[in-house]
């Protein structure tokens, strides 16, 4: 296999013997076997590989290496993506020649985990002056192990491999407890800054992963869960950002594990200048997007119902008890633009969120209003009157607005768009008249 690897590394291309120049033929005294050129190196015997290497020495540099760098780039760009890596690894000179155009083909989002090998690779890539500028976002994955109790072949094999699994666990435990993951992340972010990256987007994906082929000793199970908590990743990222000084323009937290970030000490992005855009997602499709510089809020698939459930639909009720510090972050901004959608709500809860004197643009879609004791004194007409009273509201979009007791307010197939305060007031006056008798 070593001979095959050496063969592939050295032989980029070989012309048929018939195209050899006379001086090349004279240099090579052995029998020329033209069939070698049509064979795959994998199919060659060691003797044939050695023969081909001798021929290669006579041929000299492959013709492709004599081409201008710009032409090599054009050839490289026309290769299928899966063959570009092979093209680069064939020869050191080719590797250097096409490195820059290859760097531009790699994804701008780099996915890593808080494992030693992953972070070491991140450090290596960010230290490269050609690769680092193409990194626009780093996505950190957090795998939470769900034990598989089904006794199948994979599970039985995993049990047999448990000593090796325990060793991996202990190595990872030392890596985290010694803070090596933080040092590697700091180095990677500092590399990005040195190589010209002015800002970065950061993503944390907190997901459940069922690992059938990975069994952890019972004595380690609680420690493993603790090591993979989202707080460890956030703390490492916070230190990395603070020590590197690299600007963060967007922060995304995808919380499939259904454990919302509610503690203020975990929300380090609030201390950054400027405060980055924030995107929070959960396993039930609920999403919060906050754009501080634009003073804009988007919330979809949340519940704004004070009481009761939504007939089997899994939505998280938006309140301080469940959202903690995140709730305060949402409600303490004076928004100019707001979008709420795919939500069950009572009139008072929505009114308290959207009725801001600073609001200029509002969109409500797929809202199902339902009565609760909390909102008995606010019905549809009073709600729309409150919106009409907003002093700066000049754009209003409504679609699929429904009242559980009285029926359709705005049909699902129709999106009402009112631009300018005059149109907004006229449109809302119509809705107020339509719903004024709903008591």
């Amino acid at each position: 296999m070593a001979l095959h690897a050496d063969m592939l590394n050295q032989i980029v291309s070989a012309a048929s013997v018939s195209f050899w120049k006379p001086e090349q033929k004279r240099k090579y005294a052995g029998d020329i076997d033209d069939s070698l050129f049509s064979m795959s190196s994998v199919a060659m015997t060691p003797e044939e590989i050695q023969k081909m290497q001798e021929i290669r020495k006579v041929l000299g540099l492959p013709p492709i290496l004599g081409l201008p760098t710009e032409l090599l780039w054009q050839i490289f760009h026309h290769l299928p993506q899966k063959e570009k890596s092979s093209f680069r690894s064939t020869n050191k000179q080719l590797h250097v020649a096409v490195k820059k155009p290859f760097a531009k083909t790699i994804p701008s989002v780099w996915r890593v985990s808080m494992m030693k090998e992953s972070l070491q690779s991140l450090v290596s890539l960010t230290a490269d002056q050609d690769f680092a500028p193409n990194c626009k976002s780093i996505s950190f994955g957090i795998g939470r192990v769900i034990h598989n109790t089904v006794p199948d072949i994979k599970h039985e094999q995993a049990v047999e491999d448990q000593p090796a699994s325990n060793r991996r666990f202990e190595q990872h435990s030392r890596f985290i407890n010694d803070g090596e993951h933080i040092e590697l992340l700091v180095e990677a972010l500092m590399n990005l800054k040195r190589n010209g990256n002015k800002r970065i987007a950061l993503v944390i994906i907190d997901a459940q992963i069922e690992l059938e082929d990975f069994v952890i000793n019972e004595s380690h199970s609680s420690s493993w869960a603790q090591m993979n908590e989202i707080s460890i990743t956030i703390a490492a990222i916070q230190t990395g950002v603070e020590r590197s000084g690299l600007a963060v323009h967007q922060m995304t937290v995808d919380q499939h594990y259904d454990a919302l970030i509610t503690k203020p000490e975990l929300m380090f992005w609030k201390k950054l200048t400027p405060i980055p855009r924030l995107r929070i997602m959960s396993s039930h499709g609920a999403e919060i997007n906050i754009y501080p510089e634009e003073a804009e809020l988007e919330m979809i698939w949340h519940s704004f119902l004070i009481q009761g459930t939504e007939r089997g639909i899994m939505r998280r009720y938006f309140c301080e008890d469940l959202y903690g510090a995140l709730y305060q972050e949402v409600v303490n901004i004076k928004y100019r633009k707001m979008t709420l959608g795919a939500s069950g709500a009572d009139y008072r809860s929505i009114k308290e969120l959207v009725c801001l004197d600073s609001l200029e643009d509002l969109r409500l879609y797929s809202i199902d209003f339902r009565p609760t004791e909390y909102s008995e004194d606010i019905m549809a007409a009073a709600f729309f009157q409150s919106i009409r009273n907003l002093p700066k509201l000049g754009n209003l979009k409504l679609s699929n607005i429904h009242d559980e007791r009285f029926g359709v307010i705005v049909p699902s197939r129709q999106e009402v768009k009112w631009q300018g305060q005059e149109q907004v007031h006229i449109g809302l006056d119509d809705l107020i008249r339509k719903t004024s008798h709903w008591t």
Side-chain angles (χ1 to χ4, degrees):
M1 291 303 293
L3 280 173
H4 285 104
D6 187 61
M7 176 82 168
L8 290 171
N9 185 53
Q10 294 192 29
I11 300 177
V12 177
S13 65
S16 174
V17 176
S18 60
F19 289 96
W20 283 21
K21 296 178 181 179
E23 59 269 22
Q24 290 177 315
K25 290 183 179 181
R26 285 194 296 270
K27 287 181 181 178
Y28 187 69
D31 295 330
I32 299 173
D33 186 355
D34 198 14
S35 65
L36 288 176
F37 292 97
S38 61
M39 293 177 62
S40 166
S41 63
V42 177
M44 289 182 181
T45 65
E47 292 77 14
E48 288 171 331
I49 290 178
Q50 185 175 0
K51 191 85 163 179
M52 193 63 177
Q53 288 173 330
E54 294 174 1
I55 295 173
R56 182 66 188 83
K57 292 178 182 178
V58 176
L59 283 173
L61 288 175
I64 192 173
L65 294 182
L67 296 175
T69 301
E70 293 77 8
L71 190 53
L72 288 176
W73 288 6
Q74 290 297 322
I75 295 172
F76 178 78
H77 279 304
H78 283 83
L79 289 174
Q81 184 65 33
K82 62 181 181 180
E83 296 181 11
K84 288 181 177 179
S85 294
S86 299
F87 185 83
R88 292 177 58 246
S89 62
T90 304
N91 177 275
K92 186 175 182 180
Q93 188 173 336
L94 276 181
H95 173 86
V96 174
V98 301
K99 184 182 175 185
K100 288 185 178 180
F102 175 75
K104 295 179 180 179
T105 68
I106 64 176
S108 60
V109 178
W110 295 5
R111 293 174 173 84
V112 298
S113 67
M114 286 296 164
M115 304 294 286
K116 186 172 185 177
E117 297 80 2
S118 182
L119 290 174
Q120 286 176 333
S121 297
L122 181 65
V123 169
S124 177
L125 284 171
T126 54
D128 192 294
Q129 295 180 353
D130 294 319
F131 289 118
N134 296 300
C135 178
K136 307 303 180 185
S137 175
I138 302 177
S139 178
F140 298 88
I142 302 174
R144 296 176 181 269
V145 175
I146 303 174
H147 296 290
N148 177 23
T149 58
V150 180
D152 57 14
I153 296 176
K154 289 184 178 180
H155 186 74
E156 292 173 1
Q157 180 63 42
V159 172
E160 293 179 8
D161 295 339
Q162 185 168 330
S165 298
N166 290 335
R167 286 194 298 272
R168 294 201 300 272
F169 167 82
E170 290 166 0
Q171 290 171 355
H172 182 63
S173 177
R174 288 194 298 270
F175 174 70
I176 294 295
N177 292 334
D178 292 345
E180 291 183 58
H181 64 303
I182 296 177
E183 296 304 318
L184 288 173
L185 182 56
V186 170
E187 184 178 355
L189 296 181
M190 292 182 72
N191 285 342
L192 287 175
K193 189 175 181 180
R194 279 193 295 265
N195 284 316
N197 293 56
K198 296 182 179 180
R199 61 179 193 169
I200 193 76
L202 299 176
V203 181
I204 300 174
I205 301 178
D206 188 14
Q208 292 178 337
I209 300 176
E210 183 171 331
L211 299 178
E212 297 179 350
D213 58 346
F214 190 81
V215 175
I216 299 173
N217 188 289
E218 288 296 329
S219 62
H220 293 157
S221 58
S222 60
S223 300
W224 177 265
Q226 184 178 2
M227 278 200 307
N228 285 275
E229 285 294 334
I230 194 172
S231 58
I232 289 180
T233 299
I234 291 178
I237 292 174
Q238 178 177 0
T239 303
V241 170
E242 290 174 349
R243 286 173 55 182
S244 68
L246 184 62
V248 179
H249 70 92
Q250 180 160 326
M251 189 77 203
T252 300
V253 183
D254 191 348
Q255 297 177 285
H256 287 282
Y257 196 64
D258 204 31
L260 277 171
I261 295 177
T262 58
K263 299 179 180 178
E265 59 268 25
L266 296 179
M267 302 170 66
F268 71 91
W269 52 83
K270 296 177 65 176
K271 303 176 184 177
L272 301 179
T273 305
I275 299 176
R277 291 185 170 194
L278 175 65
R279 185 181 190 190
I280 302 287
M281 297 180 289
S282 73
S283 58
H284 301 312
E287 190 171 319
I288 299 174
N289 293 289
I290 301 176
Y291 310 104
E293 290 188 356
E294 297 85 353
E296 180 178 351
L297 170 69
E298 295 177 357
M299 293 185 67
I300 61 172
W301 214 252
H302 290 267
S303 174
F304 298 94
L305 283 168
I306 294 295
Q307 297 175 341
T309 60
E310 296 193 49
R311 291 194 290 268
I313 299 176
M314 297 297 294
R315 291 191 180 98
R316 185 187 298 276
Y317 171 56
F318 183 67
C319 65
E320 188 169 9
D321 288 345
L322 294 178
Y323 283 72
L326 182 58
Y327 175 87
Q328 291 298 328
E329 182 169 4
V330 171
V331 301
N332 286 335
I333 297 177
K334 300 298 183 182
Y335 299 103
R336 293 195 301 267
K337 184 175 182 179
M338 190 180 299
T339 298
L340 305 178
S343 302
D346 61 59
Y347 288 108
R348 180 180 290 276
S349 297
I350 293 287
K351 172 182 176 294
E352 291 178 351
L353 184 62
V354 305
C355 286
L356 302 171
D357 289 346
S358 57
L359 197 64
E360 301 171 7
D361 191 311
L362 175 62
R363 182 190 178 206
L364 302 176
Y365 69 93
S366 299
I367 304 291
D368 189 11
F369 286 106
R370 298 175 190 174
T372 66
E373 294 180 2
Y374 181 69
S375 63
E376 282 185 344
D377 59 328
I378 299 181
M379 299 300 292
F383 170 73
F384 289 120
Q385 183 64 54
S386 298
I387 294 179
R388 190 190 187 287
N389 293 338
L390 297 179
K392 296 182 179 180
L393 187 64
N395 290 283
L396 179 60
K397 296 179 182 178
L398 302 174
S399 175
N400 192 21
I401 310 298
H402 182 266
D403 185 292
E404 185 182 61
R405 290 184 295 179
F406 299 103
V408 174
I409 300 175
V410 179
S412 58
R413 297 181 180 179
Q414 172 189 354
E415 183 175 53
V416 173
K417 298 179 182 180
W418 295 318
Q419 293 184 328
Q421 283 195 336
E422 184 177 354
Q423 281 194 16
V424 170
H425 289 171
I426 293 173
L428 286 172
D429 286 340
D430 288 340
L431 289 181
I432 292 169
R433 284 192 293 271
K434 176 181 177 179
T435 60
S436 59
H437 63 283
W438 294 359
T439 57

